[in-house]
Amino acid sequence: MKKFNIVIVGGGSTWTPGLLNSLCKKKSEFPLGKLVMYDIDEERQSVIGEFAKILFKEKYPELDFYYTTDKETAFTDVDFVFCQMRTGGYTMREKDEKIPMEFGVIGQETCGPGGFAYGMRSIRDMIQLVEDVRMYAKDAWILNYTNPAAIVAEALNRVFHEDKKILNICDQPVNLLRSYGKILGMDPYEFEPVYFGLNHFGWFTHLFDKEGHDLVPVIKNIVKERGFAPADAEQRDKSWLETYAMVEDMLKDFPEYLPNTYLQYYLYPEYKFNKMNPEFTRANEVIEGREKRVFEECRRVALEGTTKNAHVVHNDAHGDMIVEVAESIAFNKHQLYIVIVENNGLIGNIQNDAMVEVTATLGANGPRPYGVGNIDTFYKGMIEQQLAYEKLTADAYFEGSYSKALKALTLNRTVVDAKKARKVLDALIEVNKDYWPELK
């Protein structure tokens, strides 16, 4: 069986240990010859890298592994690039979340003004990454997890429209499928999902089992009776448990489809804002929670020289999905995944150049997506408003346009008010001077 060479961009991420573990679990199905971790933060990456050396010594001794901050070393002779970068790190994430709240607006990492700020930072570095990869590995598949995925996908599609080996993906639909599987007592890999929307802004219309029975009505009844929690609830921070619990509320108000959890911020912006603590946001929770746990454990493993009793894996869905996507492409398996692709009629009554999130099979030639036809007025209206925000955000970046940025934030359902939008935008411009293009 052929062995593949991969590079993980963002080797210093707290998600990397889980991804490394997934590669170990899948070494028979997706064998590797070489694995490189790449990050611009040498100090941060080295903590994960030294853990990885111990992990692979025990579980993957035949693997050629190293970590680096050099682009040529990282990208030469690779088949797959797994990308999970965070421009500005947690320092900027905290600003993304806290600054909007000063003006009465939700502070969230990928939604609203926080997502806008993060997107404007991510575009530059993602474009540079693709150019760097193509310099050394023109045929490598780039599998991108970088958030906010909707804005990143829109920007990359504009710049690299002819490059058919860039695939933007998100693990939240998979997290939801695992959660459905847990409450039904089923293997989520048995599901055939029908899904439509934008990234962090979509709905499951159907969830078929092997016999063709739609399980969506069953799941709705269970959620109504028992509530809803993530499959890996024991690993999740408090805010994530509250996020999943909101699915019950969304189904009461909008019972047609099973919603992506992120829709809560757009459907109930005032309610969600009032539940947030402006002094301790999700960024603080991560810094004091997952960040601390993962790095402390990686240091302990490196010191003790064994992964025995190690507990650094958080949320297997994140690592498992990207490895399985690569496997499906590498071996032309045409397995079903929910991915981000250009619309081109998949959702019949929205514009063709929208970057939509739908079910697709994945093989050697990339995704073959499934269309859902026309959608109802409410969902069409929701999507078109969010899509306009995403496109205007990309416009603001590429054109250096203050006006487009203001329009984007005014349209976003978490903001709505133009005076608030201007105040938030001006404050975000001030702290993002080192990352954003100048907006005029």
Side-chain angles (χ1 to χ4, degrees), residues 177 191-195 204-208 336-338 359 370:
L177 289 172
F191 296 144
E192 180 185 338
V194 180
Y195 187 90
F204 289 93
T205 63
H206 303 285
L207 201 61
F208 297 111
L336 286 173
Y337 293 96
I338 294 169
T359 305
Y370 291 94

Side-chain angles (χ1 to χ4, degrees), residues 180 183-184 204-209 212-225 251 255-258:
Y180 301 148
I183 64 177
L184 292 171
F204 289 93
T205 63
H206 303 285
L207 201 61
F208 297 111
D209 64 14
H213 302 125
D214 188 4
L215 300 172
V216 163
V218 180
I219 295 170
K220 287 178 185 176
N221 287 332
I222 293 174
V223 172
K224 183 178 179 181
E225 293 172 5
L251 283 175
E256 293 91 352
Y257 309 133
L258 296 175

Side-chain angles (χ1 to χ4, degrees), residues 11 23 26 34 43 63-64 70 98 111 117 127 141 167 173 192 247 270 310 348 364 403 410 431 438-439:
L23 289 166
K26 298 286 287 184
K34 177 178 73 172
E43 181 180 358
L63 180 64
D64 180 15
D70 179 71
K98 290 185 175 180
C111 304
I127 291 172
W141 276 95
L167 184 63
E192 180 185 338
V247 169
E270 186 176 336
S403 173
T410 302
V431 299
E438 184 180 0
L439 301 183

Side-chain angles (χ1 to χ4, degrees), residues 44-321:
R44 185 180 176 90
Q45 179 173 244
S46 66
V47 177
I48 310 295
E50 293 304 303
F51 158 80
K53 288 180 180 178
I54 305 300
L55 175 71
F56 295 140
K57 180 181 178 181
E58 294 178 347
K59 297 185 178 182
Y60 216 148
E62 68 273 28
L63 180 64
D64 180 15
F65 167 74
Y66 50 93
Y67 58 92
T68 183
T69 58
D70 179 71
K71 294 176 182 179
E72 183 175 1
T73 303
F75 302 136
T76 298
D77 191 30
V78 295
D79 302 298
F80 289 92
V81 179
F82 294 176
C83 183
Q84 51 180 11
M85 69 170 67
R86 179 183 291 279
T87 299
Y90 288 116
T91 299
M92 294 308 297
R93 175 176 178 173
E94 188 173 3
K95 290 181 170 63
D96 293 344
E97 294 175 354
K98 290 185 175 180
I99 288 173
M101 296 193 74
E102 296 174 10
F103 303 97
V105 176
I106 280 176
Q108 208 282 331
E109 176 191 15
T110 66
C111 304
F116 172 88
Y118 188 12
M120 290 283 282
R121 292 198 304 276
S122 297
I123 291 172
R124 180 191 67 183
D125 284 355
M126 279 303 304
I127 291 172
Q128 185 63 57
L129 172 73
V130 174
E131 291 175 345
D132 291 338
V133 170
R134 289 295 173 248
M135 183 178 296
Y136 302 108
K138 64 183 180 68
D139 293 322
W141 276 95
I142 300 172
L143 307 182
N144 179 47
Y145 262 149
T146 299
N147 272 321
I151 292 170
V152 170
E154 171 67 28
L156 292 184
N157 192 50
R158 294 186 186 191
V159 180
F160 304 104
H161 189 266
E162 301 307 314
D163 191 329
K164 302 306 179 185
K165 287 193 170 183
I166 301 172
L167 184 63
N168 297 283
I169 58 177
C170 176
D171 64 3
Q172 189 55 12
V174 171
N175 277 312
L176 290 167
L177 289 172
R178 288 188 174 205
S179 301
Y180 301 148
K182 186 171 184 178
I183 64 177
L184 292 171
M186 294 178 61
D187 183 346
Y189 290 96
E190 296 180 4
F191 296 144
E192 180 185 338
V194 180
Y195 187 90
F196 76 92
L198 310 172
N199 179 245
H200 287 182
F201 204 94
W203 295 264
F204 289 93
T205 63
H206 303 285
L207 201 61
F208 297 111
D209 64 14
K210 286 186 174 181
E211 287 72 43
H213 302 125
D214 188 4
L215 300 172
V216 163
V218 180
I219 295 170
K220 287 178 185 176
N221 287 332
I222 293 174
V223 172
K224 183 178 179 181
E225 293 172 5
R226 305 182 211 162
F228 190 51
D232 55 349
E234 71 284 349
Q235 295 188 50
R236 296 290 187 131
D237 293 325
K238 180 174 177 287
S239 65
W240 269 113
L241 300 180
E242 293 171 349
T243 290
Y244 275 71
M246 281 294 293
V247 169
E248 184 178 357
D249 294 77
M250 287 190 276
L251 283 175
K252 286 178 182 176
D253 291 333
F254 310 101
E256 293 91 352
Y257 309 133
L258 296 175
N260 191 301
T261 51
Y262 284 90
L263 283 161
Q264 63 180 309
Y265 299 108
Y266 302 102
L267 295 172
Y268 312 108
E270 186 176 336
Y271 173 83
K272 290 302 297 182
F273 174 81
N274 290 328
K275 289 287 185 180
M276 291 178 170
N277 180 353
E279 303 301 321
F280 191 86
T281 64
R282 173 72 183 145
N284 301 118
E285 190 178 48
V286 172
I287 292 166
E288 296 185 16
R290 187 181 76 231
E291 170 90 357
K292 188 175 292 185
R293 291 193 302 269
V294 168
F295 276 83
E296 286 178 354
E297 193 71 353
C298 284
R299 290 187 178 98
R300 185 188 68 78
V301 166
L303 185 64
E304 296 181 2
T306 179
T307 61
K308 186 178 180 180
N309 300 319
H311 301 284
V312 296
V313 177
H314 179 93
N315 186 6
D316 284 335
H318 182 90
D320 289 352
M321 180 186 177

Side-chain angles (χ1 to χ4, degrees), residues 120 124 396-398 400 429 432-433 435-440:
M120 290 283 282
R124 180 191 67 183
Y397 177 88
F398 288 114
I429 287 173
N432 280 281
K433 286 180 177 177
Y435 300 100
W436 291 6
E438 184 180 0
L439 301 183
K440 299 179 181 178

